[in-house]
Amino acid sequence: MQEALNDLESSEILSREQAALLRRIYGRELFSVHWELRLLLYGGILILTTGLGLLVAEHFASIGHLTLLAAIALGCVACFAYCLRHGGGFSPESLATPDAAYDYVLLLGCLLLGTLQGYLELRYQFLDQYWNWWLLASALIYLLCAHYFDNRLVLSLGLSTLGAWLGVKTSHLGTGLWDGALRDSALFFGALVIAAGTAQTRLGWKRHFLPVHLHLGVNVLLTALVAGVGSRAAGSAYLAGLLLTGSGSAFYALRERSFAFLLYAVLYGYVGITIFMLDLGHWSSEGIIFYFLVSAATLLTTLVALHRRFGSAE
Amino acid sequence: MIDLYEKGERRVAVVEEARRWKEAGMITAEQAAAVAERYRPELVRVNLFIRILLAVFTVVGVVALVAMPAVTLKVEETGLTLLCLIFAPLCAWVADHELIAGRRLYRCGAEEALLLLAVGMLALAVAIPAHDWGHDTERLAALTAHMIFLAGAILLTVRYGYALMAFGAMLALAGLPFHLADILHWQQPHLTRLVLLLMLGAAAIWSQRRLGRRDSLHRGYVWSLETVRISALAGIYLDVNLFAHRLLWREWLGWTPGESLFSWSDDICALLTAILPVASLAMGIGRRDRALLWFGVVSAILSILTLKYYVHLGHLPEELTAAGLLVVGLAFGLLRWLRAGSKRCRGAFTAEPLLEPRLYGLDAEALAAIQPLAPEPRMSQPKGFQPGGGTFGGGGASGGY
């Protein structure tokens, strides 16, 4: 790399200062421990919350419920107070975090809030069989925090908690309806997440949240559609939906050069089509192998053509 | 490494590094484009996700291709062996001659999958026919297949610099003592562990010594050696960590503690579980070695979480809470200390992101934080961008670079 830096400097592609800085980085005269320290912080929070959880479970009888509740609530309030004090307030645009601990303090606050809600329900059973509403409340608070404090980690937490609420709510419908209803819930959730992300982007509101919405939404939607393809009643409808969503995902991947979405489209689409094809009738062993041979050859040819057309290396 | 990769890999490395410089805000898009143009590699590369897809469907296609004559001709073990022996060199030839030498593919998925399949089929060709030849022969054939896979993975690593193959070789190496124990009827699991430990230790020391000359090595080799070193260290750590040790050896492999060969092994385990993270961290800091630092941090966190298997300072919840507070406090203190230094540096170290990967969802401050360290981009510059230091004088270097 040092040779290349000399060459780029002498050909005036890099300035003297840029080449000097890069030489120092590659020569390890300047060494960043940014992610190592973040990993240490994350690991510390993981150990701390695990320890606190065990502490609560083991000693709640001796410490007393109110003391524990107060301690958790206090920790939660302290975390949010820190974020409110150090954060820049709401902005529809992306915000720079004020310091390295900010993201983790917010995450800790959100996790403590979840612990507080769980503890309250476990101890006092305010909502009894309707306990899943706590999940909805958590999801909404997390989403609010994600938008106010501009944090994509908490946004992921909020969206997955919302998904969990829908899943738990669906499970109350009973065993007979379970499969279909869960699929429908997943379809609704996936579409909702994608729609919310798209709407936000169109409104110019937290545009940088769109990838989080799309990755989660597309995966949930495609998983639900693939799961539905095998069903006797509406397999064709699910396959049509899968092809439509997969095409959309592939189109987005090629337009935005975000090839992860192409991976989703091709893999989920292939699994869905294979399930549908093999369900169609009685296949001989040769027929099944021939199907895999032809489909793999077709996809390889298509992928090579796509790479040539779009120059996917970069 | 083959001549094509030796020449082309340097260009690929420069172009890929230039993209990182651009993403870190150190150079402009125009500069990155100029670098890409000047160092345009002759090798064909594809995006990581397309690489995965190409690898998956190559495997599907080749397996179907081999299965087709096997099913049509209803072949038995001998026929399947014959098919493997025909297709293994064919796969290797297509990958090496047609795709790499002919089409100049470089880590595109298809050629990697074909080479892996070639090695796998060669190993299967040895293992399959021994199925009906008695228990001892079967075990011997399985060991031979194992050795073929190990040799093949090493060969592919040396010839093409594939880090994934190096990982495969390390997995095969780690499995070797178990196979040997099966063949040689070792009744003592401790002996297997000792052989495993010695083999992994040798691999770790060898790769560490080779990495000492990393500047003169090709990128593919550096990645492969890093893979060997970290896999060996991770294997040693898993072997000596008592939690993993008990889970793996006593529960999964059904070994009872009464059969212990070395009474002192638990003490050695405890000592190594403490020493490995500390030594990795010390070496990582001293040599500014990122892989060792990551290994040190992760293994230190794991050691804290499994602390109860070694020392009992009190109850587990109190231990974990105290350890968590200590780790958070240490990380936070280090962050503040590094940021309070001159130009946010302490010696060679800084807590600011330079060319580091931006982990998803946690990169909000990356561009803002880089600005005090970044020099002024040479070409166009966005309005309002005011870098904090055009020259660098920290860390013992003069400002007159």
Side-chain angles (χ1 to χ4, degrees):
Chain A
M1 192 51 70
Q2 299 288 357
E3 280 173 33
L5 288 173
N6 291 341
D7 174 55
L8 291 172
E9 188 185 358
S10 61
S11 59
E12 297 190 342
I13 291 173
L14 294 182
S15 70
R16 206 161 61 103
E17 291 81 11
Q18 284 174 325
L21 175 60
L22 289 169
R23 262 188 217 108
R24 291 189 64 204
I25 293 171
Y26 285 103
R28 303 188 187 203
E29 289 172 38
L30 190 60
F31 189 81
S32 171
V33 284
H34 178 80
W35 289 113
E36 286 76 10
L37 289 178
R38 284 184 162 238
L39 179 67
L40 204 61
L41 258 177
Y42 190 77
I45 287 178
L46 184 78
I47 297 170
L48 181 62
T49 45
T50 310
L52 282 174
L54 290 173
L55 205 66
V56 168
E58 197 164 295
H59 296 297
F60 73 94
S62 56
I63 297 171
H65 295 298
L66 283 177
T67 318
L68 272 177
L69 274 173
I72 297 170
L74 204 65
C76 184
V77 168
C79 288
F80 284 119
Y82 177 90
C83 292
L84 281 169
R85 193 175 159 202
H86 290 84
F90 176 76
S91 164
E93 302 298 328
S94 174
L95 289 171
T97 43
D99 58 60
Y102 183 81
D103 287 336
Y104 299 93
V105 174
L106 182 63
L107 181 65
L108 183 63
C110 289
L111 291 176
L112 284 176
L113 185 71
T115 312
L116 185 69
Q117 288 177 341
Y119 191 73
L120 278 172
E121 182 55 31
L122 199 70
R123 176 71 185 94
Y124 299 106
Q125 296 176 341
F126 287 125
L127 297 178
D128 203 14
Q129 72 262 40
Y130 300 108
W131 64 268
N132 61 76
W133 290 101
W134 283 113
L135 277 178
L136 180 63
S138 292
L140 294 177
I141 293 169
Y142 294 159
L143 289 176
L144 192 70
C145 288
H147 283 81
Y148 186 80
F149 297 112
D150 191 48
N151 190 298
R152 282 182 286 183
L153 196 63
V154 176
L155 176 71
S156 309
L157 190 69
L159 289 175
S160 43
T161 311
L162 190 65
W165 171 71
L166 263 174
V168 172
K169 201 166 161 52
T170 310
S171 70
H172 288 172
L173 289 174
T175 47
L177 294 165
W178 164 250
D179 277 352
L182 193 63
R183 267 200 305 271
D184 292 344
S185 291
L187 286 176
F188 171 71
F189 175 67
L192 180 75
V193 169
I194 294 172
T198 313
Q200 268 184 233
T201 308
R202 294 214 165 207
L203 291 169
W205 219 54
K206 301 284 182 196
R207 287 171 200 267
H208 57 293
F209 280 4
L210 183 65
V212 179
H213 282 265
L214 289 184
H215 279 288
L216 184 70
V218 166
N219 271 299
V220 170
L221 211 53
L222 289 174
T223 307
L225 287 166
V226 168
V229 168
S231 68
R232 295 268 171 225
S236 321
Y238 277 107
L239 183 70
L242 179 67
L243 293 177
L244 202 67
T245 314
S247 306
S249 178
F251 177 72
Y252 177 81
L254 298 176
R255 200 188 70 180
E256 299 295 320
R257 303 182 65 77
S258 179
F259 291 102
F261 291 96
L262 185 69
L263 179 84
Y264 301 151
V266 174
L267 281 186
Y268 284 108
Y270 187 69
V271 172
I273 292 171
T274 303
I275 292 171
F276 187 78
M277 292 294 283
L278 296 184
D279 269 2
L280 267 183
H282 295 291
W283 287 67
S284 64
S285 304
E286 287 90 341
I288 292 172
I289 293 169
F290 186 69
Y291 165 78
F292 280 115
L293 193 61
V294 171
S295 58
T298 310
L299 275 164
L300 284 173
T301 315
T302 312
L303 287 167
V304 170
L306 267 177
H307 164 69
R308 282 191 181 147
R309 170 81 176 75
F310 291 93
S312 72
E314 304 305 321
Chain B
M1 191 182 283
I2 56 170
D3 197 38
L4 181 70
Y5 281 6
E6 263 188 32
K7 287 176 184 161
E9 202 173 49
R10 288 188 195 280
R11 284 174 169 265
V12 172
V14 175
V15 172
E16 287 185 0
E17 287 303 295
R19 199 160 67 231
R20 289 176 71 203
W21 305 341
K22 186 185 81 177
E23 284 170 5
M26 288 183 170
I27 63 171
T28 62
E30 290 85 352
Q31 284 178 300
V35 176
E37 185 56 37
R38 190 174 179 82
Y39 280 85
R40 182 183 294 279
E42 290 179 359
L43 299 170
V44 176
R45 296 165 301 136
V46 298
N47 182 272
L48 172 70
F49 299 105
I50 294 187
R51 182 181 170 192
I52 295 170
L53 287 174
L54 286 172
V56 167
F57 291 112
T58 301
V59 172
V60 172
V62 172
V63 170
L65 201 62
V66 178
M68 183 60 101
V71 170
T72 312
L73 302 172
K74 296 187 171 56
V75 297
E76 302 283 324
E77 277 88 351
T78 314
L80 208 53
T81 305
L82 202 64
L83 279 174
C84 284
L85 285 174
I86 292 169
F87 275 96
L90 194 65
C91 284
W93 182 80
V94 169
D96 188 85
H97 190 265
E98 292 297 309
L99 299 182
I100 296 175
R103 295 184 188 271
R104 297 177 169 268
L105 297 196
Y106 176 72
R107 301 177 202 277
C108 287
E111 85 285 18
E112 295 166 286
L114 280 174
L115 288 167
L116 182 67
L117 282 167
V119 172
M121 279 194 270
L122 214 54
L124 275 178
V126 175
I128 291 170
H131 185 62
D132 291 333
W133 295 350
H135 192 54
D136 284 343
T137 319
E138 192 183 346
R139 286 196 303 186
L140 200 63
L143 179 67
T144 313
H146 191 142
M147 298 296 282
I148 288 174
F149 185 83
L150 175 63
I154 292 172
L155 183 73
L156 294 184
T157 308
V158 172
R159 187 166 164 77
Y160 305 104
Y162 291 157
L164 272 175
M165 297 299 175
F167 183 65
M170 286 306 291
L171 284 182
L173 189 73
L176 205 55
F178 298 93
H179 241 134
L180 284 173
D182 189 38
I183 295 284
L184 302 172
H185 304 289
W186 292 348
Q187 300 300 324
Q188 294 294 339
H190 268 306
L191 199 57
T192 316
R193 282 187 64 203
L194 192 65
V195 174
L196 178 67
L197 206 62
L198 289 174
M199 283 168 65
L200 293 177
I205 292 167
W206 173 78
S207 52
Q208 176 66 40
R209 288 174 67 89
R210 293 275 294 159
L211 278 168
R213 293 185 290 114
R214 70 167 67 220
D215 292 339
S216 61
L217 294 172
H218 291 285
R219 193 173 62 152
Y221 280 161
V222 172
W223 287 352
S224 301
L225 286 169
E226 287 285 17
T227 307
V228 169
R229 182 175 61 161
I230 295 303
S231 307
L233 286 175
I236 292 170
Y237 183 79
L238 279 178
D239 191 32
V240 299
N241 185 296
L242 278 187
F243 175 72
H245 159 212
R246 282 177 183 157
L247 194 74
L248 283 168
W249 295 90
R250 297 189 184 178
E251 290 186 21
W252 291 0
L253 299 178
W255 170 54
T256 49
E259 297 169 356
S260 173
L261 183 67
F262 309 114
S263 56
W264 39 264
S265 75
D266 274 13
D267 297 331
I268 294 285
C269 280
L271 196 67
L272 282 173
T273 310
I275 285 176
L276 267 176
V278 176
S280 299
L281 282 172
M283 275 179 73
I285 291 167
R287 297 181 181 204
R288 292 164 214 167
D289 190 323
R290 194 168 305 287
L292 278 181
L293 274 178
W294 274 82
F295 176 77
V297 171
V298 172
S299 57
I301 290 168
L302 289 177
S303 288
I304 289 170
L305 283 171
T306 53
L307 195 67
K308 68 170 179 174
Y309 285 90
Y310 308 102
V311 280
H312 300 281
L313 301 170
H315 293 289
L316 183 66
E318 286 89 336
E319 283 174 6
L320 286 182
T321 308
L325 280 171
L326 190 74
V327 172
V328 170
L330 179 71
F332 198 56
L334 280 171
L335 269 171
R336 290 181 71 90
W337 181 69
L338 285 169
R339 286 195 165 174
S342 164
K343 291 195 174 182
R344 296 187 171 197
C345 290
R346 295 276 184 180
F349 293 95
T350 176
E352 308 306 315
L354 295 172
L355 299 177
E356 273 54 60
R358 296 183 190 168
L359 296 185
Y360 182 72
L362 295 170
D363 61 351
E365 67 172 328
L367 270 177
I370 190 68
Q371 290 187 5
L373 293 171
E376 186 175 337
R378 187 173 180 79
M379 297 181 187
S380 65
Q381 183 178 319
K383 279 184 181 175
F385 178 70
Q386 297 294 327
T391 56
F392 241 117
S398 76
Y401 261 119

Coordinates of all heavy atoms in Angstrom, one line a residue, chain A residues 112-162:
Chain A
L112 N -34.0 -1.1 30.1 CA -34.5 -1.0 31.5 C -35.9 -0.7 31.5 O -36.7 -1.2 32.4 CB -33.7 0.1 32.2 CG -32.3 -0.2 32.7 CD1 -31.6 1.0 33.3 CD2 -32.2 -1.4 33.6
L113 N -36.4 0.0 30.5 CA -37.9 0.3 30.5 C -38.6 -1.0 30.2 O -39.7 -1.2 30.9 CB -38.2 1.3 29.3 CG -39.6 1.8 29.2 CD1 -40.0 2.7 30.3 CD2 -39.8 2.5 27.9
G114 N -38.1 -1.8 29.3 CA -38.7 -3.1 29.1 C -38.7 -4.0 30.3 O -39.7 -4.6 30.6
T115 N -37.6 -4.0 31.1 CA -37.5 -4.7 32.3 C -38.5 -4.2 33.3 O -39.2 -5.0 34.0 CB -36.1 -4.6 32.9 OG1 -35.1 -4.8 31.9 CG2 -35.8 -5.6 34.0
L116 N -38.7 -2.9 33.4 CA -39.6 -2.3 34.3 C -41.1 -2.8 34.0 O -41.8 -3.2 34.9 CB -39.5 -0.8 34.3 CG -40.3 0.0 35.3 CD1 -39.8 -0.2 36.7 CD2 -40.3 1.5 34.9
Q117 N -41.4 -2.7 32.7 CA -42.8 -3.1 32.4 C -43.0 -4.6 32.7 O -44.1 -4.9 33.2 CB -43.0 -2.8 30.9 CG -43.1 -1.4 30.5 CD -43.2 -1.2 29.0 OE1 -42.8 -2.0 28.2 NE2 -43.7 0.0 28.6
G118 N -42.0 -5.4 32.3 CA -42.1 -6.8 32.6 C -42.3 -7.1 34.1 O -43.1 -7.9 34.5
Y119 N -41.5 -6.4 34.9 CA -41.5 -6.6 36.3 C -42.9 -6.2 36.9 O -43.5 -6.9 37.7 CB -40.4 -5.8 36.9 CG -40.1 -6.2 38.4 CD1 -39.6 -7.4 38.7 CD2 -40.5 -5.3 39.4 CE1 -39.3 -7.7 40.0 CE2 -40.3 -5.6 40.7 CZ -39.7 -6.8 41.0 OH -39.5 -7.2 42.3
L120 N -43.4 -5.1 36.4 CA -44.7 -4.5 36.9 C -45.8 -5.5 36.6 O -46.6 -5.8 37.4 CB -45.0 -3.2 36.2 CG -44.4 -2.0 36.8 CD1 -44.6 -0.7 35.9 CD2 -44.9 -1.7 38.2
E121 N -45.8 -6.1 35.4 CA -46.8 -7.0 35.0 C -46.7 -8.3 35.8 O -47.7 -8.9 36.2 CB -46.8 -7.3 33.5 CG -47.8 -8.2 32.9 CD -49.3 -7.7 33.2 OE1 -49.5 -6.5 33.3 OE2 -50.1 -8.6 33.4
L122 N -45.5 -8.8 35.9 CA -45.2 -10.0 36.6 C -45.7 -9.9 38.1 O -46.3 -10.8 38.7 CB -43.7 -10.4 36.6 CG -43.3 -11.8 36.9 CD1 -43.8 -12.7 35.7 CD2 -41.8 -11.9 37.0
R123 N -45.4 -8.8 38.7 CA -45.7 -8.6 40.1 C -47.2 -8.2 40.4 O -47.8 -8.8 41.2 CB -44.8 -7.5 40.7 CG -45.0 -7.1 42.1 CD -44.5 -8.3 43.0 NE -44.9 -8.0 44.4 CZ -46.0 -8.4 45.0 NH1 -46.9 -9.1 44.4 NH2 -46.2 -8.1 46.3
Y124 N -47.7 -7.3 39.6 CA -49.0 -6.8 39.9 C -50.1 -7.2 39.0 O -51.3 -7.0 39.2 CB -48.9 -5.2 40.0 CG -48.0 -4.7 41.1 CD1 -46.8 -4.2 40.7 CD2 -48.3 -4.8 42.4 CE1 -45.9 -3.7 41.7 CE2 -47.4 -4.4 43.4 CZ -46.2 -3.8 43.0 OH -45.4 -3.4 44.0
Q125 N -49.7 -7.7 37.8 CA -50.7 -8.2 36.8 C -51.8 -7.2 36.5 O -52.9 -7.5 36.6 CB -51.2 -9.6 37.2 CG -50.1 -10.6 37.3 CD -50.6 -12.0 37.8 OE1 -51.6 -12.1 38.4 NE2 -49.8 -13.0 37.6
F126 N -51.3 -6.0 36.1 CA -52.3 -5.0 35.8 C -53.2 -5.3 34.6 O -54.4 -5.1 34.7 CB -51.5 -3.7 35.4 CG -50.9 -3.0 36.6 CD1 -49.5 -2.7 36.6 CD2 -51.6 -2.6 37.7 CE1 -48.9 -2.1 37.6 CE2 -51.0 -2.0 38.8 CZ -49.6 -1.7 38.8
L127 N -52.6 -5.9 33.6 CA -53.4 -6.2 32.4 C -53.8 -7.7 32.2 O -54.5 -8.0 31.3 CB -52.6 -5.8 31.2 CG -52.3 -4.3 31.1 CD1 -51.5 -3.9 29.9 CD2 -53.6 -3.4 31.1
D128 N -53.3 -8.5 33.2 CA -53.7 -9.9 33.2 C -53.5 -10.6 31.9 O -52.4 -10.6 31.3 CB -55.1 -10.0 33.7 CG -55.4 -11.4 34.3 OD1 -54.4 -12.1 34.6 OD2 -56.5 -11.8 34.5
Q129 N -54.6 -11.1 31.3 CA -54.4 -11.9 30.0 C -54.2 -10.9 28.8 O -53.9 -11.4 27.7 CB -55.6 -12.8 29.7 CG -56.9 -12.1 29.3 CD -57.9 -11.9 30.5 OE1 -57.4 -11.6 31.6 NE2 -59.1 -12.1 30.2
Y130 N -54.3 -9.7 29.1 CA -54.1 -8.7 28.0 C -52.7 -8.1 28.1 O -52.4 -7.0 27.7 CB -55.1 -7.5 28.0 CG -56.5 -8.0 27.8 CD1 -57.4 -8.0 28.9 CD2 -56.9 -8.5 26.6 CE1 -58.7 -8.5 28.8 CE2 -58.2 -9.0 26.5 CZ -59.1 -8.9 27.5 OH -60.4 -9.4 27.4
W131 N -51.7 -8.9 28.7 CA -50.4 -8.4 28.9 C -49.6 -8.0 27.7 O -48.7 -7.3 27.7 CB -49.6 -9.5 29.7 CG -49.3 -10.8 28.9 CD1 -50.1 -11.9 28.9 CD2 -48.3 -11.0 28.0 NE1 -49.6 -12.8 28.1 CE2 -48.5 -12.3 27.5 CE3 -47.2 -10.3 27.5 CZ2 -47.7 -12.9 26.5 CZ3 -46.4 -10.9 26.6 CH2 -46.6 -12.2 26.1
N132 N -50.1 -8.6 26.5 CA -49.4 -8.2 25.3 C -49.5 -6.8 24.9 O -48.7 -6.3 24.1 CB -49.9 -9.1 24.1 CG -51.4 -8.9 23.8 OD1 -51.7 -7.9 23.3 ND2 -52.2 -9.8 24.3
W133 N -50.4 -6.0 25.5 CA -50.5 -4.6 25.3 C -49.2 -3.9 25.8 O -48.9 -2.8 25.3 CB -51.8 -4.0 25.9 CG -53.0 -4.4 25.2 CD1 -53.8 -5.4 25.6 CD2 -53.5 -4.0 23.9 NE1 -54.8 -5.6 24.6 CE2 -54.6 -4.7 23.6 CE3 -53.0 -3.0 23.0 CZ2 -55.3 -4.5 22.4 CZ3 -53.7 -2.8 21.8 CH2 -54.9 -3.6 21.5
W134 N -48.6 -4.5 26.8 CA -47.3 -3.9 27.2 C -46.3 -3.9 26.1 O -45.5 -3.0 26.0 CB -46.7 -4.8 28.4 CG -47.3 -4.6 29.7 CD1 -48.0 -5.5 30.4 CD2 -47.2 -3.4 30.6 NE1 -48.4 -5.0 31.6 CE2 -48.0 -3.7 31.7 CE3 -46.7 -2.1 30.4 CZ2 -48.1 -2.8 32.8 CZ3 -46.8 -1.2 31.4 CH2 -47.5 -1.5 32.6
L135 N -46.3 -5.0 25.3 CA -45.4 -5.1 24.1 C -45.7 -3.9 23.2 O -44.8 -3.3 22.6 CB -45.6 -6.4 23.4 CG -44.9 -7.6 24.0 CD1 -45.2 -8.9 23.1 CD2 -43.4 -7.4 23.9
L136 N -47.0 -3.7 22.9 CA -47.3 -2.6 22.0 C -46.8 -1.2 22.6 O -46.3 -0.4 21.9 CB -48.9 -2.5 21.8 CG -49.3 -1.4 20.9 CD1 -48.8 -1.6 19.5 CD2 -50.9 -1.4 20.8
A137 N -47.1 -1.1 23.9 CA -46.6 0.2 24.5 C -45.1 0.3 24.4 O -44.6 1.4 24.0 CB -47.0 0.2 26.0
S138 N -44.4 -0.8 24.7 CA -42.9 -0.7 24.5 C -42.5 -0.4 23.1 O -41.7 0.5 22.9 CB -42.3 -2.1 24.8 OG -42.5 -2.4 26.2
A139 N -43.2 -1.0 22.2 CA -42.8 -0.8 20.7 C -43.0 0.7 20.4 O -42.1 1.3 19.8 CB -43.6 -1.7 19.8
L140 N -44.1 1.2 20.8 CA -44.4 2.6 20.5 C -43.4 3.6 21.2 O -43.0 4.5 20.5 CB -45.9 3.0 20.9 CG -46.9 2.2 20.1 CD1 -48.3 2.6 20.6 CD2 -46.8 2.5 18.6
I141 N -43.1 3.3 22.4 CA -42.1 4.1 23.1 C -40.7 4.0 22.4 O -40.1 5.0 22.2 CB -42.0 3.7 24.6 CG1 -43.3 4.1 25.3 CG2 -40.9 4.5 25.3 CD1 -43.5 3.5 26.7
Y142 N -40.4 2.8 22.1 CA -39.1 2.6 21.4 C -39.0 3.4 20.1 O -38.0 4.0 19.7 CB -38.8 1.1 21.1 CG -38.6 0.3 22.3 CD1 -38.7 -1.1 22.2 CD2 -38.2 0.8 23.5 CE1 -38.6 -1.9 23.3 CE2 -38.0 0.0 24.7 CZ -38.2 -1.4 24.6 OH -38.0 -2.2 25.7
L143 N -40.2 3.3 19.3 CA -40.2 4.0 18.0 C -40.1 5.5 18.2 O -39.4 6.2 17.5 CB -41.5 3.7 17.3 CG -41.5 2.2 16.8 CD1 -42.9 1.9 16.1 CD2 -40.4 2.0 15.7
L144 N -40.8 6.0 19.3 CA -40.7 7.4 19.6 C -39.3 7.8 19.9 O -38.8 8.8 19.4 CB -41.7 7.7 20.8 CG -42.0 9.1 21.1 CD1 -42.9 9.7 20.1 CD2 -42.7 9.2 22.5
C145 N -38.7 7.0 20.8 CA -37.3 7.3 21.2 C -36.4 7.3 19.9 O -35.5 8.1 19.8 CB -36.8 6.3 22.2 SG -37.5 6.4 23.8
A146 N -36.6 6.3 19.1 CA -35.7 6.1 17.9 C -35.8 7.4 17.1 O -34.8 7.9 16.6 CB -36.1 4.9 17.1
H147 N -37.0 7.9 16.9 CA -37.2 9.1 16.1 C -36.7 10.4 16.8 O -36.1 11.2 16.1 CB -38.7 9.3 15.7 CG -39.1 8.3 14.6 ND1 -39.4 7.0 14.8 CD2 -39.1 8.5 13.2 CE1 -39.6 6.4 13.7 NE2 -39.5 7.3 12.7
Y148 N -37.0 10.5 18.0 CA -36.6 11.7 18.7 C -35.1 11.7 18.9 O -34.5 12.8 18.7 CB -37.3 11.7 20.1 CG -37.0 13.1 20.8 CD1 -37.7 14.2 20.5 CD2 -36.0 13.2 21.8 CE1 -37.5 15.4 21.1 CE2 -35.7 14.4 22.4 CZ -36.4 15.5 22.0 OH -36.2 16.7 22.6
F149 N -34.5 10.6 19.3 CA -33.0 10.6 19.6 C -32.2 10.2 18.4 O -31.0 10.1 18.4 CB -32.7 9.7 20.8 CG -33.3 10.1 22.1 CD1 -34.3 9.4 22.6 CD2 -32.9 11.3 22.7 CE1 -34.9 9.8 23.8 CE2 -33.5 11.7 23.9 CZ -34.5 10.9 24.5
D150 N -32.9 9.9 17.3 CA -32.3 9.5 16.0 C -31.3 8.3 16.2 O -30.1 8.4 16.0 CB -31.5 10.7 15.5 CG -31.0 10.5 14.0 OD1 -31.9 10.1 13.2 OD2 -29.8 10.6 13.7
N151 N -31.9 7.2 16.5 CA -31.1 6.0 16.7 C -31.7 4.8 16.0 O -32.8 4.4 16.3 CB -31.0 5.7 18.2 CG -30.0 4.7 18.6 OD1 -30.1 3.6 18.2 ND2 -29.0 5.1 19.4
R152 N -30.9 4.3 15.1 CA -31.4 3.1 14.3 C -31.4 1.8 15.0 O -32.1 0.9 14.7 CB -30.5 3.0 13.0 CG -30.9 4.1 12.0 CD -30.1 3.9 10.7 NE -28.8 4.4 10.9 CZ -27.9 4.5 9.9 NH1 -28.2 4.1 8.7 NH2 -26.7 5.0 10.1
L153 N -30.5 1.7 16.0 CA -30.5 0.5 16.8 C -31.8 0.4 17.6 O -32.4 -0.7 17.6 CB -29.3 0.6 17.8 CG -28.9 -0.7 18.5 CD1 -28.4 -1.7 17.5 CD2 -27.8 -0.4 19.5
V154 N -32.3 1.5 18.2 CA -33.5 1.5 18.9 C -34.7 1.3 18.0 O -35.7 0.7 18.3 CB -33.6 2.7 19.8 CG1 -35.0 2.8 20.5 CG2 -32.5 2.8 20.8
L155 N -34.6 1.9 16.7 CA -35.6 1.7 15.7 C -35.8 0.2 15.4 O -36.9 -0.3 15.4 CB -35.2 2.4 14.4 CG -36.2 2.3 13.3 CD1 -37.5 3.0 13.5 CD2 -35.6 2.8 12.0
S156 N -34.7 -0.5 15.3 CA -34.8 -2.0 15.0 C -35.5 -2.7 16.2 O -36.3 -3.5 16.0 CB -33.4 -2.6 14.8 OG -32.6 -1.9 13.9
L157 N -35.1 -2.2 17.4 CA -35.7 -2.8 18.6 C -37.2 -2.5 18.6 O -38.0 -3.4 18.9 CB -35.0 -2.1 19.8 CG -35.3 -2.7 21.2 CD1 -34.7 -4.1 21.3 CD2 -34.8 -1.8 22.3
G158 N -37.6 -1.3 18.3 CA -39.0 -0.9 18.3 C -39.8 -1.7 17.2 O -40.9 -2.2 17.5
L159 N -39.3 -1.8 16.0 CA -40.0 -2.5 15.0 C -40.1 -4.0 15.3 O -41.1 -4.6 15.1 CB -39.2 -2.3 13.6 CG -39.3 -0.9 13.0 CD1 -38.5 -0.9 11.8 CD2 -40.7 -0.5 12.7
S160 N -39.0 -4.6 15.8 CA -39.1 -6.0 16.2 C -40.1 -6.3 17.3 O -40.8 -7.3 17.4 CB -37.7 -6.7 16.4 OG -37.0 -5.8 17.2
T161 N -40.1 -5.3 18.3 CA -41.1 -5.5 19.4 C -42.5 -5.4 18.9 O -43.4 -6.1 19.3 CB -40.8 -4.4 20.5 OG1 -39.5 -4.4 20.8 CG2 -41.6 -4.7 21.7
L162 N -42.7 -4.5 17.9 CA -44.1 -4.3 17.3 C -44.4 -5.6 16.6 O -45.6 -6.1 16.7 CB -44.0 -3.2 16.3 CG -45.4 -2.7 15.7 CD1 -46.2 -2.1 16.8 CD2 -45.1 -1.7 14.6

